[in-house]
Amino acid sequence: MRKTAKKSSLRTAKPANAQTGKHPLTEEKILNNLREILAFIGDDPSREGLLETPHRILRSWQKLYGGYKMKPQDVLKTFTEGSCEEMVVLKDIEFYSTCEHHLQPFFGTISIGYLPKGRVLGISKLARLVEVFARRLQIQEKLVAEIADSLMETLQPHGVMVVCKAKHMCISSRGIEKHNAVMVTSAIRGAFKKMEVRNEFLEMIK
């Protein structure tokens, strides 16, 4: 008897600006969908306080999800002049992102260190790189990996390490409701896999 092959459960990722379905999404369709969502949760989208809410949400999305319109290459300008061989660290970069599982905010700080190899970055570029990836639907584990991999690809340093500490509204406002829990993740590349290099970085970001 011939066996029927199982359909793969893996989904092909679509571009960030991809639209599904035969009919392209328009701003008016999105506004109508948001009004329906307001009604679904039990409120009246026609009352005075909610009349402009769909428009406000759309405007807020331009900032919250602006990372989809940015590329790491656009912000990572490198310099050979002034390059050094010592560790470069920018710590406690504040960020705000949105959990892709529940569309709830998560926020905190990210610290980045790298060991240059002939080229360095303007210090503000590290903060801008955080914005590129934080201003998207995200999970924290992926966020630190994307930052580290972008730096390795563009700057080609001896190594990179990224540490993120964040609070997640999806576990404080719903579910298990633990308000003081802080999630810590890291991404370690190149020379930072050596214990002495990693320890130097961790000491610097205390």
Side-chain angles (χ1 to χ4, degrees):
M1 184 176 179
R2 185 177 181 182
K3 294 183 179 180
T4 303
K6 291 184 178 180
K7 187 176 181 180
S8 173
S9 61
L10 296 177
R11 295 177 296 176
T12 303
K14 296 182 181 297
N17 60 352
Q19 295 188 12
T20 58
K22 295 180 180 180
H23 305 290
L25 295 174
T26 64
E27 183 174 310
E28 189 54 41
K29 286 182 180 179
I30 297 299
L31 291 171
N32 286 333
N33 288 341
L34 289 170
R35 295 183 188 105
E36 290 179 351
I37 290 171
L38 292 173
F40 177 78
I41 64 176
D43 216 317
D44 178 9
S46 65
R47 69 178 176 85
E48 183 181 16
L50 292 181
L51 279 177
E52 293 301 314
T53 295
H55 293 274
R56 295 187 193 102
I57 293 172
L58 279 188
R59 289 194 296 271
S60 74
W61 283 354
Q62 294 177 4
K63 177 67 175 180
L64 293 176
Y65 309 122
Y68 289 115
K69 297 179 181 179
M70 297 187 287
K71 297 178 181 179
Q73 306 92 294
D74 297 335
V75 302
L76 292 180
K77 183 179 180 180
T78 64
F79 303 90
T80 56
E81 184 177 355
S83 180
C84 63
E85 294 297 323
E86 305 300 324
M87 189 180 298
V88 178
V89 175
L90 184 62
K91 72 173 188 175
D92 297 334
I93 306 166
E94 294 181 350
F95 79 93
Y96 299 87
S97 192
T98 306
C99 171
E100 67 183 41
H101 296 152
H102 302 100
L103 292 187
Q104 292 286 317
F106 70 96
F107 54 91
T109 61
I110 290 175
S111 297
I112 303 172
Y114 69 92
L115 278 172
K117 187 168 62 176
R119 292 188 295 174
V120 292
L121 289 166
I123 199 68
S124 67
K125 307 307 180 186
L126 294 174
R128 292 184 183 277
L129 180 63
V130 169
E131 286 290 287
V132 169
F133 293 113
R135 295 298 185 175
R136 304 179 183 192
L137 297 179
Q138 271 292 6
I139 61 172
Q140 188 174 329
E141 299 90 335
K142 182 181 176 184
L143 176 59
V144 292
E146 288 175 327
I147 293 170
D149 290 338
S150 292
L151 286 172
M152 289 296 291
E153 180 180 351
T154 302
L155 192 58
Q156 297 182 353
H158 292 291
V160 170
M161 186 166 176
V162 182
V163 172
C164 177
K165 301 177 181 179
K167 288 190 174 184
H168 291 247
M169 293 300 292
C170 57
I171 67 169
S172 61
S173 65
R174 58 167 298 282
I176 198 168
E177 296 186 15
K178 299 301 180 184
H179 306 290
N180 296 317
V182 176
M183 184 174 177
V184 182
T185 54
S186 65
I188 303 169
R189 305 288 186 268
F192 283 81
K193 293 181 180 180
K194 297 178 180 179
M195 185 64 70
E196 64 271 19
V197 180
R198 184 161 66 250
N199 286 344
E200 179 182 349
F201 171 72
L202 293 174
E203 185 66 27
M204 292 176 73
I205 67 172
K206 281 184 178 179

